[in-house]
Amino acid sequence: MKNFRLTLAATIMLAAFTKTSAQSLATNYKGTGNSNPISPCVFCADPTALVCDGRVYVYGTNDHQQFLHNNKQGSNNYGNIRSLVVFSSDDMVNWTFHGTIDVGKLCTSWGWRFAASWAPSVTWRETENGQREFFLYFANSGGSIGVLTASAPTGPWTSPFSKPFIDDTTPGVKPCNWIFDPGVLIDDQGTGWIAFGGGDPQPTGSKLMPGNSRIAKLKPSMIQLDGSAVNLPAPYLFEASELNMMNGRYVYTYNTSWSDRDDWNSYPGRGGNAAPSSCSMCYMVTDTPLNPDTWEYRGEYVPNEGNFGMGWGNNHTHLQKFGNDYYLFYHSTLLEQSMNTGASGFRSIGVDKATVNEETQTINKMTLTKSGVSPVGHMNPYTLQQAETMATSGGVSYEDFSNINKPTSISTLGNDASQNLQLNMKAGAWTMMRSVDFGNNGAKTFTLTAKGNGRLEIRLNSKVATPAAIVEFSSATMAEHSVELDPEQFKGLKNVFFLFTSADNVMFDAWQFTESGTNAIKGIPQTQDASQRKLFTTDGRRLSNGHHRGMVIEQVTDAQGTRRTFKRANGK
């Protein structure tokens, strides 16, 4: 088993340097003070989310695949999107990009039935025997809905069927113009539900009640319907179904159409609510999902923001509780506007804190922001961190170190990507991590895992600050490069910048600081009691049986009781 943790001596240069000017650094399209969008360089949309082991995982439509297919120009027609993106965070500001789920490859057995992968919705449960089951539903273009299953939030995923899960032959679906945008929920009793549908009004429908929204109960398997789908009477429904549970009640959210609202006063369920604005986010509540007459319209919680000034774009939201608070995930064109490439319709996922009263199932009206959310925790620099974890960056591109048996010099972020990611860093490229907590002791060493020839400058709180440390490295394989630090400079909370001021074929994989006062031992033990070994995925999930494709983190305890951690490739 090849080891990627080769310790090399690093050249330390802490004096006599020339400060790199701001003009020589790669452009940042997000801003170092903003939390939105969550990715500074990947176009993605239609978010859904789940919480597992203290992390929130966000899944979305891979707009970037279409962006690259279009050669970074033209408009987004979504036709070449055949994968989904995955991000996660434990502090809501530093996001790990886990790559893409290659839905097209997973659904090869569908043949002509597979067209695209958009707008996922995801949920999970733990069975009585302790097994974890994850279910991801996606829109197969506008004509059907597929489902993938896994035992972990980052996969590997499989398709249980050789055809769509829901289509126009499914009982209760017809007539429905667009069979897409699934929203899934496992309720308080462990029962699964799925909502879906959208499009222009049916011939028998109206602007007010288009007749295209459906909801269905799922069997315990979560991959079969328990009875027929039924109509969900959502006023002005257009798309973007999602489901939540609050205080024992079902909450349905959706995006409204562009039609005028001249028939609003004819709607008996309007209550004291004004007509929703065109293309806004609205919600409804019920105790009995399959009884259309029990759904209560609650109004608009996100007025149309015009994607922050870019016309009357539609939206797709997911409401997620993380800790004691609710957060609203959505998409906008903030990144596209900042890049200003001339391309149009390429979206990015953002998140803002939501004010929700669970007892009354009330979602307060909110405004979407560039600043986004504040950190809900601090990053620990003394654990192994992936290079793909960042608050923002400039000049970064992602690569799959295995390249899926296909030579490539750049990541397509499409069917060539997977969880085996590293960063391709050119001269001037940089990453930033927010709210890194070095504690009172400070850091005494820094270790960079990378290959190629380059110079890394560590700057604190500003990307144009005087470097607090410099590492020059050269290696043909992925290796460790370590440098001694002045602990006084690395104390307390910092924003940390990694700037590659020179880079030749540099691939950046991971990093870690060592706390002053500790006695960490480098190197890999040659022999070890297997009972003292622990394997984790790169996002921190414990592997009980070792079955995982890609990079893993192995933790061992030697005969002296010292715990040692290293990263390696795993073929299982």
Side-chain angles (χ1 to χ4, degrees), residues 549-570:
R549 178 174 58 86
M551 300 301 287
V552 295
I553 297 171
E554 184 164 348
Q555 189 180 88
V556 300
T557 303
D558 65 19
Q560 287 71 44
T562 301
R563 189 169 62 187
R564 303 159 73 181
T565 302
F566 57 93
K567 184 181 178 185
R568 63 173 170 80
N570 193 61

Side-chain angles (χ1 to χ4, degrees), residues 406-466:
K406 177 182 177 183
T408 179
S409 60
I410 61 170
S411 170
T412 64
L413 287 188
N415 293 344
D416 293 334
S418 75
Q419 70 268 35
N420 303 318
L421 292 180
Q422 57 196 8
L423 299 187
N424 185 339
M425 307 299 284
K426 306 296 185 184
W430 55 276
T431 64
M432 171 200 170
M433 286 60 63
R434 288 177 62 184
S435 194
V436 181
D437 189 1
F438 289 97
N440 295 326
N441 294 331
K444 67 177 181 180
T445 61
F446 170 75
T447 300
L448 165 74
T449 305
K451 68 177 180 179
N453 304 306
R455 169 185 166 112
L456 168 67
E457 296 185 1
I458 303 175
R459 303 184 185 183
L460 303 176
N461 296 326
S462 171
K463 64 176 180 289
V464 295
T466 299

